[in-house]
Amino acid sequence: VQLVESGGDSVQVGGSLRLSCAASGYIFNSHCMAWFRQLPGKEREGVAAVGRDGGTSYAGSVKGRFTVSRDRAKKSLYLQMNSLKPEDTASYYCAAHAGCMCPGLANKYNYWGQGTQVTVS
């Protein structure tokens, strides 16, 4: 099982980015998929998630600005990020949880990507 993120970049305040996560193996259609982010020395925080049924959830800090989606045919997870702020600067990680519901805690997730850096200035 492998999760590979891409799309991280440096952007100006107010700009947009789209992160992608390609999943290999059987997990994509059977797992909750989520995005987390992390700053050095801090814990990973949940950003957005999409359950097996397609239901989505968002952290309050990104609601209305970020949109999470999944493409089952491409086995890919996306995070469209608009109106970016400096506080969105972090390493962003794709994660998968073996369950239909998406937990908020990072330690509940079974699989992780290597991360992609987003810098907003």
Side-chain angles (χ1 to χ4, degrees), residues 4-89:
V4 180
E5 302 98 334
S6 61
D9 205 346
S10 296
V11 297
Q12 293 185 338
V13 173
S16 297
L17 278 177
R18 188 193 195 207
L19 304 184
S20 300
C21 172
S24 66
Y26 66 94
I27 67 169
F28 189 78
N29 290 326
S30 61
H31 283 52
C32 154
M33 301 295 296
W35 289 98
F36 283 77
R37 63 188 181 187
Q38 186 175 26
L39 287 170
K42 294 198 173 183
E43 294 185 356
R44 289 183 185 182
E45 65 167 352
V47 175
V50 55
R52 292 191 304 191
D53 62 354
T56 58
S57 59
Y58 297 91
S61 59
V62 306
K63 196 171 292 185
R65 300 188 297 123
F66 290 11
T67 303
V68 62
S69 61
R70 66 195 297 171
D71 185 326
R72 295 184 183 278
K74 295 182 178 180
K75 293 186 178 179
S76 292
L77 179 73
Y78 304 102
L79 184 68
Q80 178 66 44
M81 305 187 294
N82 299 328
S83 302
L84 283 163
K85 304 176 180 180
E87 51 264 43
D88 295 319
T89 295

